[in-house]
């Protein structure tokens, strides 16, 4: 099943939106396969945002990502990359459609709450960048056994 990476940026962590954002993905039906808090550093951001290195405000974008710890999360589901990207909304929070995460929680281009991988190929590279193999979990996703003990059904 397809996996993707999200990062809850300092704008999510500092505004106490971790739970709300993760809850949206859980309610949608995506499976959380890995999750941890990290303090990002310049080196990993140079890799992660290499496509923005030419921008005059590249350092400002990186500083924003280092301003506090972030939450990195692996989400799994059919077409997970596309589904998660569409739930995130377009980059500029002021343009993002209501109902998307950026549309509902952000007024900014930079402080836009969430990173989401933009293709299946990128997702694989980004998951390797932020997670060790043993931090991604393959597990059955079936609530019945957790609603009842075997002798109750
Ligand atoms: N960004 C910014 N100003 C820009 C372009 C990007 O502050 O003009 C920041 C913004 O936080 C964005 C991130 O850099 O989410 C990565 O940019 P990208 O173009 O990959 O957008 P995304 O894939 O996050 O929508
Ligand atoms: Mg991007």
């Amino acid at each position: 099943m397809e996996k993707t990476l999200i990062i809850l940026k300092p704008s999510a962590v500092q505004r106490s939106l971790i739970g709300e954002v993760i809850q949206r993905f859980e309610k949608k039906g995506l499976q959380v396969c890995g999750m941890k808090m990290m303090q990002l550093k310049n080196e990993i951001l140079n890799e992660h945002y290499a496509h923005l290195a030419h921008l005059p405000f590249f350092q400002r974008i990186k500083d924003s990502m280092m301003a506090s710890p972030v939450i990195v999360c692996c989400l799994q589901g059919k077409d997970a990359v596309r589904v998660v990207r569409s739930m995130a909304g377009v980059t500029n929070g002021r343009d993002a459609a209501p109902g998307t995460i950026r549309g509902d929680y952000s007024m900014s281009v930079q402080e836009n709450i969430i990173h989401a991988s933009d293709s299946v190929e990128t997702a694989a590279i980004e998951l390797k960048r932020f997670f060790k193999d043993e931090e991604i979990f393959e597990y059955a996703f079936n609530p019945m056994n957790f609603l009842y003990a075997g002798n109750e059904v």
Side-chain angles (χ1 to χ4, degrees):
M1 195 74 89
E2 196 167 292
K3 292 186 178 62
T4 191
L5 173 85
I6 60 167
I7 304 175
L8 303 186
K9 298 183 178 187
S11 49
V13 173
Q14 293 293 326
R15 291 176 54 203
S16 305
L17 293 173
I18 298 169
E20 282 198 48
V21 174
I22 296 292
Q23 186 180 47
R24 286 184 176 223
F25 294 117
E26 286 192 299
K27 283 186 171 173
K28 177 71 172 168
L30 287 143
Q31 182 180 14
V32 175
C33 288
M35 182 152 59
K36 63 181 177 179
M37 182 169 262
M38 285 178 85
Q39 175 61 53
L40 300 181
K41 299 275 163 55
N42 201 51
E43 196 181 3
I44 198 166
L45 287 166
N46 280 339
E47 262 186 43
H48 184 64
Y49 281 150
H51 61 292
L52 305 176
H54 63 283
L55 294 175
F57 45 89
F58 183 47
Q59 188 61 47
R60 192 193 69 200
I61 293 173
K62 290 189 293 177
D63 287 343
S64 153
M65 293 295 286
M66 295 188 280
S68 88
V70 299
I71 303 287
V72 293
C73 182
C74 172
L75 297 174
Q76 175 168 274
K78 188 169 169 64
D79 299 325
V81 171
R82 179 163 56 82
V83 170
V84 169
R85 247 335 246 196
S86 78
M87 288 175 72
V90 298
T91 308
N92 184 341
R94 296 188 296 280
D95 295 332
T100 65
I101 291 163
R102 288 163 168 172
D104 286 354
Y105 299 115
S106 171
M107 284 290 284
S108 170
V109 180
Q110 179 178 284
E111 302 303 323
N112 61 0
I113 311 294
I114 185 168
H115 165 80
S117 303
D118 63 8
S119 72
V120 174
E121 297 71 33
T122 313
I125 293 166
E126 292 183 344
L127 284 166
K128 281 243 173 291
R129 180 173 297 140
F130 291 97
F131 286 98
K132 300 188 183 105
D133 286 350
E134 64 267 28
E135 291 173 331
I136 302 289
F137 297 87
E138 297 287 347
Y139 61 96
F141 197 38
N142 180 348
M144 274 310 279
N145 293 342
F146 302 90
L147 287 169
Y148 302 102
N151 66 349
E152 289 177 308
V153 288

